[in-house]
Amino acid sequence: MKIEKAIALLSGKLFDEKMVDIYVDKTKIAYEKERYIKAINKYRTYFDGEEIEMFSAPGRSEIGGNHTDHQHGEVLAASINNDAIAVVRKLDEPIVKVMSDGYSDLITLSLNDLEKKVEEEGTTNALIRGVLAKMKLDGHAIGGFQAYVTSDVLIGAGLSSSAAFETLIGTILSYMYNDGEVDPIEIAKIGQYAENVYFGKPCGLMDQMACSVGSLVHIDFADPENPIVEQLELDMNAYGFSLCITDTKGSHADLTPDYAAIPKEMNQVATCFGKNFLGEVSKKEIMDNIPLIRERAGDRAALRALHFVCENERVEKEVNALRKHNFPEFLKNVKESGDSSFKYLQNVYTCHDVQHQNVSVALALSDVIFGEKGVCRVHGGGFAGTIQAFVPNYLVSDYRKEMDIIFGENSCEVLKIRKYGGIKVL
């Protein structure tokens, strides 16, 4: 589409219906249209060419299954109406150029040089190169493009900014070079490969799956190469509740060892039974062998194993409650998930710096504000970042005000579950 035509379409009313379809919340439409137009104009400051395409990939909110995916467990997660968007033009030469909002340097990668580079670990370059390499390795076509990317998925806020970015790059390649036919589940696996191998982060597949597939999804990773994905319906307004995410502004510096210790310790417990992952070990086996686990893997590993086997059951309880439209039962299990993460998984604060407990403070304040009216839990990887809360609609305004007083203006945001994963918008 020509740039001027795209701007005209976004400026008028004809595109409003599609924006509501994507972003769910009518109050966001004016903002999103302005954001898209701003992205197009920023694109023009960096790149030439009048023909463009636009793509979107959402962030995600984990609702059940805290640190279960990497052990071949079950999760419940949703794509949200905060996303990363890209203004893109296809290139004839074998080069990918990406300029990201907020960064001063243009990333330029050659399609003839897709080997992993150790010096790129932890960088955006690694994610792009990894997606390109895995897409090609899986037998899909790749090619050059130039893109301007901007994201509302906050970095380090537990909404999976990296998975949204990986999904965005995978979606661009799917539409531009594969007629949009690369399966969203495969795009998720490609993103995980990029993050594990090229970026150097040992994440599971939940983040990428929720970002790529879209909607509210129940995922069983018992066979991670062939995960079972079930989309569910959840209209929280029908129950008088909203989903709130609060960014507690905790520092993520030096937390990689804390994150990495969780799968490491869970794997150590699995090896006590001659297995590689806890998903291969039953709850009864864990319960019957606590002394052995404590001796071989340590007490924290034992507690984390107990969290895993019980959290897997909770995901199934949450899913069954939603199928039966039993929202109070669903909330009960969300609350139990949060309690288990705090007490047994122990990923609410780092033991290396007990004086800074942003997430603990946010959870405590939420409990006091809610009483029995709402529920909250640590969100995502933990240790810093965000909490998730299911808040009665009549309490949302007061709750946001209290959270913003403690953690800063606009720290607390109301999110909607969007039905689309990675998509072409224009």
Side-chain angles (χ1 to χ4, degrees):
M1 182 178 289
K2 297 287 187 184
I3 284 179
E4 293 305 326
K5 183 178 179 181
I7 291 175
L9 183 62
L10 289 162
S11 300
K13 295 290 186 182
L14 293 177
F15 208 66
D16 287 12
E17 186 175 339
K18 185 165 186 176
M19 283 293 194
V20 173
D21 188 41
I22 295 171
Y23 293 99
V24 188
D25 187 350
K26 290 183 178 180
T27 65
K28 289 189 69 174
I29 302 312
Y31 163 77
E32 292 297 345
K33 290 169 67 175
E34 182 180 347
R35 175 175 170 240
Y36 272 63
I37 293 170
K38 182 179 178 182
I40 292 172
N41 286 326
K42 290 284 274 186
Y43 169 89
R44 287 202 285 195
T45 66
Y46 298 109
F47 303 114
D48 58 4
E50 287 299 310
E51 290 287 338
I52 59 168
E53 299 175 53
M54 296 196 74
F55 299 87
S56 162
R60 73 95 183 97
S61 181
E62 168 213 292
I63 292 170
N66 197 212
H67 281 281
T68 53
D69 58 331
H70 51 70
Q71 295 300 304
H72 299 186
E74 299 184 38
V75 301
L76 183 63
S79 60
I80 58 172
N81 60 344
N82 282 10
D83 65 344
I85 62 173
V87 186
V88 190
R89 182 168 79 89
K90 193 174 185 177
L91 297 177
D92 293 330
E93 59 266 40
I95 293 175
V96 169
K97 301 176 182 178
V98 177
M99 173 59 74
S100 292
D101 185 25
Y103 293 85
S104 58
D105 295 329
L106 175 69
I107 294 172
T108 303
L109 301 177
S110 170
L111 300 187
N112 298 318
D113 181 18
L114 298 181
E115 295 296 318
K116 177 188 173 178
K117 300 183 184 301
V118 175
E119 65 272 17
E120 283 186 348
E121 285 190 0
T123 68
T124 303
N125 299 53
L127 295 178
I128 300 169
R129 200 183 302 273
V131 170
L132 287 163
K134 183 60 171 170
M135 186 76 78
K136 183 178 180 180
L137 188 64
D138 285 356
H140 301 296
I142 63 172
F145 64 86
Q146 58 189 27
Y148 174 79
V149 176
T150 182
S151 180
D152 274 354
V153 186
L154 295 178
I155 296 172
L159 299 173
S160 295
S161 57
S162 60
F165 184 81
E166 294 149 15
T167 298
L168 187 65
I169 300 299
T171 302
I172 291 168
L173 292 168
S174 175
Y175 278 93
M176 283 194 155
Y177 290 100
N178 297 276
D179 299 320
E181 293 183 356
V182 183
D183 185 80
I185 293 175
E186 187 168 3
I187 289 176
K189 292 178 183 178
I190 289 167
Q192 184 199 25
Y193 175 89
E195 193 150 345
N196 288 173
V197 178
Y198 279 66
F199 190 82
K201 180 180 178 182
C203 68
L205 186 55
M206 177 189 66
D207 294 353
Q208 291 82 2
M209 193 72 81
C211 293
S212 185
V213 172
S215 190
L216 177 65
V217 288
H218 170 218
I219 311 168
D220 185 343
F221 290 111
D223 179 1
E225 290 301 311
N226 299 285
I228 299 171
V229 182
E230 174 192 9
Q231 290 187 310
L232 300 166
E233 294 293 329
L234 175 56
D235 180 3
M236 283 186 294
N237 271 331
Y239 298 105
F241 275 76
S242 292
L243 172 64
C244 292
I245 301 292
T246 299
D247 181 4
T248 69
K249 310 294 174 61
S251 172
H252 284 73
D254 302 322
L255 289 178
T256 297
D258 292 285
Y259 294 126
I262 294 176
K264 179 182 178 181
E265 291 178 13
M266 288 184 175
N267 291 141
Q268 287 173 342
V269 174
T271 60
C272 294
F273 301 90
K275 306 295 184 181
N276 294 317
F277 301 96
L278 276 180
E280 303 171 76
V281 183
S282 71
K283 181 179 179 180
K284 186 176 187 307
E285 286 176 304
I286 297 293
M287 294 294 292
D288 289 347
N289 290 277
I290 291 295
L292 173 69
I293 295 169
R294 293 181 67 194
E295 179 184 346
R296 293 188 180 178
D299 286 354
R300 189 171 69 173
L303 291 168
R304 285 173 165 172
L306 284 170
H307 164 81
F308 172 84
V309 293
C310 294
E311 185 77 347
N312 250 6
E313 291 181 351
R314 268 189 293 273
V315 170
E316 293 184 359
K317 290 176 182 178
E318 289 171 352
V319 171
N320 288 331
L322 291 176
R323 287 183 185 136
K324 295 175 182 178
H325 306 288
N326 188 343
F327 198 66
E329 180 66 17
F330 166 75
L331 291 181
K332 173 177 173 287
N333 282 282
V334 170
K335 175 65 173 172
E336 289 178 3
S337 172
D339 290 344
S340 180
S341 292
F342 207 149
K343 292 190 292 185
Y344 310 128
L345 183 61
Q346 299 182 19
N347 70 328
V348 169
Y349 61 92
T350 173
C351 61
H352 305 296
D353 184 13
V354 296
Q355 295 305 315
H356 294 93
Q357 297 192 33
N358 294 44
V359 174
S360 306
V361 170
L363 292 171
L365 289 171
S366 298
D367 282 343
V368 172
I369 293 168
F370 294 152
E372 300 296 320
K373 302 180 185 73
V375 301
C376 61
R377 66 193 286 275
V378 63
H379 185 246
F383 300 110
T386 58
I387 70 162
Q388 175 189 82
F390 289 84
V391 187
N393 288 338
Y394 67 87
L395 268 183
V396 168
S397 179
D398 289 343
Y399 179 68
R400 293 185 69 186
K401 188 181 300 182
E402 291 294 330
M403 291 294 104
D404 286 354
I405 288 171
I406 304 301
F407 300 107
E409 189 175 357
N410 298 320
S411 294
C412 182
E413 188 172 3
V414 179
L415 300 178
K416 304 288 186 182
I417 297 173
R418 92 174 201 176
K419 60 185 177 183
Y420 298 110
I423 57 170
K424 180 178 178 179
V425 180
L426 283 174

